[in-house]
Amino acid sequence: MLDAALEMFVANGYDGVCVAAICDRTGVAPQSLYNAFGDKAALYQRVLERYGGLTHAPAVEALLAEPDPLVALRRFASGFARHASTCDGCLFARVMAEAEPDREDAKLAQASTARLRKALRARAREAADAGRLPDGADPGAVADTLLALAVGVAVVSRGGMPAAVVKGCVREGLRLLGDLGGSG
């Protein structure tokens, strides 16, 4: 049921999904949904937790598991380009754009994004310490640019930008960053 609700929230946002539609899609009776989750807001929190576990958590794990920090950063960039071409955008980007920053859903999205940012910054720092970033590159700025590019890719993909154009934007972003140290 969470996966079906997740798809609906990604496609339509919180306000665009009603409990009746979730029940219709999943075949779950409204009372069962309320018994399991309490209300729509609590279900949405669980969906956001699941989304973070399906998107950001594996991205952080992949960034940290790759022995070569430059390869990790490149794979992150190519991975978000692939992801954007197969989805309706990033649910966390949508939440952060639409929700007041002090709402629980925004806090959850911010926390998950902060973990991703921390991993990107750590790997960029490792690459800089090894002399593998372009001369004069600020590792924090490189990491933040990759994160901003990832979020931007999710937004423009949702807005209908063709996948080929999105991939070109990612290539250009990497070129502007010095292709993260070339073939290194």
Side-chain angles (χ1 to χ4, degrees), residues 15-16 22 28 31-32 61 64 71 74 78 86 92 110 113-114 127 144-145 161 168 171-173 176 179 184:
D15 291 332
I22 294 169
V28 172
Q31 192 56 50
S32 295
E61 289 173 20
L64 298 178
V71 170
R74 286 190 198 124
S78 62
T86 62
F92 285 154
Q110 292 161 1
T113 301
D144 290 346
T145 300
M161 186 177 279
R171 278 193 306 275
E172 185 64 10
L176 291 171
D179 194 28

Coordinates of all heavy atoms in Angstrom, one line a residue, residues 15-16 22 28 31-32 61 64 71 74 78 86 92 110 113-114 127 144-145 161 168 171-173 176 179 184:
D15 N -1.6 17.6 -1.6 CA -3.0 18.1 -1.7 C -3.7 17.5 -2.9 O -5.0 17.5 -2.9 CB -3.0 19.6 -1.9 CG -2.5 20.3 -0.6 OD1 -2.8 19.8 0.5 OD2 -1.9 21.4 -0.7
G16 N -3.0 16.9 -3.8 CA -3.7 16.3 -5.0 C -4.1 14.8 -4.8 O -4.6 14.2 -5.8
I22 N -6.6 6.8 -2.7 CA -5.7 5.8 -2.2 C -6.4 4.4 -2.0 O -5.9 3.4 -2.4 CB -4.9 6.2 -0.9 CG1 -4.1 7.5 -1.2 CG2 -4.1 5.1 -0.3 CD1 -3.5 8.1 0.0
V28 N -7.9 -1.1 -0.3 CA -8.0 -1.1 1.1 C -9.2 -0.2 1.6 O -9.4 0.9 1.0 CB -6.7 -0.5 1.7 CG1 -6.8 -0.3 3.2 CG2 -5.5 -1.4 1.4
Q31 N -11.5 2.6 6.6 CA -11.3 2.3 8.0 C -10.0 1.6 8.2 O -9.3 1.8 9.2 CB -12.5 1.6 8.6 CG -12.4 1.6 10.1 CD -12.4 3.0 10.7 OE1 -13.1 3.8 10.4 NE2 -11.4 3.1 11.7
S32 N -9.6 0.7 7.3 CA -8.4 -0.1 7.5 C -7.2 0.9 7.4 O -6.2 0.7 8.1 CB -8.3 -1.2 6.5 OG -9.3 -2.1 6.7
E61 N 24.6 5.4 0.5 CA 25.4 4.1 0.6 C 26.3 4.0 -0.6 O 27.5 3.6 -0.4 CB 24.4 2.9 0.7 CG 23.7 2.8 2.0 CD 22.6 1.7 2.0 OE1 22.7 0.8 1.1 OE2 21.7 1.8 2.8
L64 N 29.3 6.4 -0.4 CA 30.3 6.0 0.6 C 30.9 4.7 0.4 O 32.1 4.4 0.8 CB 29.6 6.0 2.0 CG 29.0 7.4 2.4 CD1 28.3 7.3 3.8 CD2 30.1 8.5 2.5
V71 N 35.0 8.7 -8.7 CA 34.1 7.8 -9.3 C 32.7 7.8 -8.6 O 31.7 7.8 -9.3 CB 34.6 6.3 -9.3 CG1 33.6 5.3 -9.8 CG2 35.9 6.2 -10.2
R74 N 30.9 11.0 -9.8 CA 30.4 10.8 -11.2 C 29.2 9.9 -11.3 O 28.3 10.1 -12.0 CB 31.6 10.2 -12.1 CG 32.6 11.2 -12.4 CD 33.5 10.6 -13.5 NE 34.8 11.4 -13.5 CZ 36.0 10.9 -13.4 NH1 36.1 9.5 -13.2 NH2 37.0 11.6 -13.5
S78 N 25.5 10.6 -12.9 CA 24.9 9.9 -13.9 C 23.7 9.1 -13.4 O 22.7 9.0 -14.2 CB 25.9 8.9 -14.6 OG 26.4 7.9 -13.6
T86 N 13.1 8.5 -15.7 CA 12.2 7.4 -15.5 C 11.2 7.7 -14.4 O 10.5 6.8 -14.0 CB 12.9 6.1 -15.1 OG1 13.6 6.3 -13.9 CG2 13.9 5.7 -16.2
F92 N 10.9 14.7 -2.5 CA 11.5 15.6 -1.5 C 11.7 17.0 -2.1 O 11.4 18.0 -1.4 CB 12.8 15.1 -1.0 CG 12.7 13.9 -0.1 CD1 13.8 13.0 0.0 CD2 11.6 13.8 0.7 CE1 13.7 12.0 0.9 CE2 11.6 12.7 1.6 CZ 12.6 11.8 1.7
Q110 N 14.1 17.7 4.4 CA 15.4 18.4 4.7 C 16.4 17.5 5.3 O 17.6 17.5 5.0 CB 15.1 19.6 5.5 CG 14.3 20.7 4.9 CD 13.6 21.6 5.8 OE1 13.8 21.5 7.1 NE2 12.9 22.6 5.3
T113 N 17.8 15.0 2.8 CA 18.6 15.8 1.8 C 19.9 16.2 2.5 O 21.0 16.1 1.9 CB 17.9 17.0 1.3 OG1 16.7 16.5 0.6 CG2 18.7 17.7 0.2
A114 N 19.9 16.5 3.8 CA 21.1 16.9 4.5 C 22.1 15.7 4.6 O 23.3 15.9 4.5 CB 20.8 17.4 5.9
A127 N 38.3 13.8 -2.6 CA 38.8 14.0 -4.0 C 39.7 15.2 -4.0 O 40.8 15.2 -4.6 CB 37.7 14.2 -5.0
D144 N 27.7 20.8 -3.4 CA 26.5 21.5 -3.4 C 25.9 21.7 -4.8 O 24.7 21.7 -5.0 CB 26.6 22.8 -2.6 CG 26.8 22.7 -1.1 OD1 26.6 21.5 -0.6 OD2 27.2 23.6 -0.5
T145 N 26.8 21.9 -5.7 CA 26.4 22.1 -7.1 C 25.8 20.8 -7.7 O 24.8 20.8 -8.3 CB 27.6 22.6 -8.0 OG1 28.0 23.8 -7.5 CG2 27.2 22.7 -9.5
M161 N 10.7 18.3 -19.4 CA 11.9 18.4 -20.2 C 12.3 17.0 -20.7 O 12.3 16.0 -19.9 CB 13.1 19.0 -19.4 CG 14.3 19.2 -20.2 SD 15.6 20.0 -19.3 CE 15.1 21.7 -19.4
G168 N 21.9 16.0 -21.4 CA 22.8 17.0 -21.9 C 23.1 18.0 -20.8 O 24.2 18.5 -20.7
R171 N 25.6 16.5 -18.5 CA 26.9 16.5 -19.1 C 27.5 17.9 -19.0 O 28.7 18.1 -18.7 CB 26.8 16.1 -20.5 CG 26.8 14.6 -20.7 CD 27.1 14.2 -22.2 NE 26.2 14.8 -23.1 CZ 24.9 14.4 -23.4 NH1 24.5 13.3 -22.8 NH2 24.2 15.0 -24.3
E172 N 26.7 18.9 -19.3 CA 27.2 20.3 -19.3 C 27.6 20.7 -17.9 O 28.6 21.4 -17.6 CB 26.2 21.3 -19.9 CG 26.7 22.7 -20.0 CD 27.9 22.9 -20.9 OE1 28.2 22.0 -21.7 OE2 28.4 24.0 -20.9
G173 N 26.8 20.3 -16.9 CA 27.1 20.6 -15.5 C 28.4 20.0 -15.1 O 29.2 20.6 -14.4
L176 N 31.2 22.0 -16.7 CA 31.5 23.2 -15.9 C 32.3 23.0 -14.6 O 33.0 23.8 -14.2 CB 30.2 23.9 -15.6 CG 29.4 24.5 -16.9 CD1 28.1 25.0 -16.5 CD2 30.2 25.6 -17.5
D179 N 34.6 18.3 -15.3 CA 34.3 16.9 -15.4 C 34.8 16.1 -14.1 O 35.2 15.0 -14.2 CB 34.8 16.3 -16.7 CG 34.3 14.9 -16.9 OD1 33.1 14.6 -16.5 OD2 35.0 14.1 -17.6
G184 N 40.5 10.7 -14.6 CA 41.1 10.4 -13.3 C 41.3 9.0 -13.0 O 41.6 8.4 -12.1

